[in-house]
Amino acid sequence: MGILSRTSYVIRSKINALLNRAEDPTETLDYSYEKMRDELQQVKQGIADLTTQKKRLEIQKRRLEENVEKHNDQAREAVRQDREDLARQALQKKQAKMNQIEELDAQIAGLQETQDSLVQKKNELQGRIEEFRTKKETMKARYEAAEASSRVSEAMSGVGDEMSDVGRALERAEEQTDEMEARSAAMDELVDEGAFDEVLSDKDAIERELEAGRSDAEVDTELETLKSEMGKSSAPAEDAESDSDVDVESDVETDVEADVDVADEEVEAELEELRSEDESS
């Protein structure tokens, strides 16, 4: 097989495959049915034309028959008038008309046979068309049912084009959702770590470290205060010594305060005596 032959064969094969995929059996059946109906219509039109021609010949035959009767009357009248020559002419015309009538009879008979044959073929064709129409509707119903069943099966199995598109859309949506969730989690983590606070703050690294140290010191102080209030201490030995010193100082302060209270009472008593003497005098 030469290159051109192989190329032609491949091209025809491709075209045939494309036509098979593009062909809709229901449309093909409808087209075939319409073609058969067109043929039936043409047959009916042919029968009608043939019938018209036959009717024209029959009309012509009737006119010739009328002329034959007319020429027969003319010949009789000529004989009564002793005009043999006129009678002969009338009879000759009568004979010519009768010959034409015979020819018309033959033509009319032939047209009638053709008409009968066409009518029979028309009836057979019409019967075939009706039978084909029944089969066509049955085949269309079967094809549409099979097509619907195939679509349902494809939808159930997810192998159809539309279901594949839906599946791909769901996958893309899921990927985008996962990406957005991961991005949101990363942003929350950065916010918790204070990454954005450092970026937006005007303080340098040293100031931030100093503030962190002060904050730690304040936290330690507050923690020690809480421990003191709850009777706990982080350094027991030192706290014991400091507690003894505090107790001695407290005793000294108490004695001083007692002495001050006694002196105040004596001064008040003397002032009261002086007031009484003044009033008596």
Side-chain angles (χ1 to χ4, degrees), residues 33-47 118-119 121-127 129-130:
Y33 177 69
E34 293 299 328
K35 290 290 293 182
M36 294 179 69
R37 291 189 61 184
D38 291 341
E39 293 177 358
L40 178 62
Q41 188 63 31
Q42 292 176 2
V43 171
K44 290 181 178 180
Q45 186 64 40
I47 293 174
L118 289 177
V119 169
K121 292 180 179 179
K122 186 264 297 182
N123 293 333
E124 292 177 357
L125 179 59
Q126 190 168 0
I129 291 174
E130 292 298 324

Side-chain angles (χ1 to χ4, degrees), residues 198-213:
E198 294 180 359
V199 174
L200 298 176
S201 176
D202 294 333
K203 300 176 182 179
D204 56 11
I206 296 175
E207 291 180 352
R208 287 194 293 271
E209 289 183 4
L210 291 174
E211 288 183 356

Side-chain angles (χ1 to χ4, degrees), residues 41-57 111 114-115 118:
Q41 188 63 31
Q42 292 176 2
V43 171
K44 290 181 178 180
Q45 186 64 40
I47 293 174
D49 295 338
L50 185 61
T51 303
T52 302
Q53 294 296 328
K54 189 184 72 170
K55 291 296 181 183
R56 288 177 181 175
L57 294 179
L111 291 176
T114 304
Q115 179 180 349
L118 289 177

Side-chain angles (χ1 to χ4, degrees), residues 176-217:
Q176 293 176 358
T177 302
D178 293 340
E179 183 178 357
M180 291 299 295
E181 290 178 350
R183 183 179 179 86
S184 177
M187 296 294 290
D188 292 339
E189 183 177 352
L190 290 174
V191 170
D192 293 337
E193 292 178 355
F196 294 107
D197 295 339
E198 294 180 359
V199 174
L200 298 176
S201 176
D202 294 333
K203 300 176 182 179
D204 56 11
I206 296 175
E207 291 180 352
R208 287 194 293 271
E209 289 183 4
L210 291 174
E211 288 183 356
R214 286 193 293 269
S215 298
D216 293 339

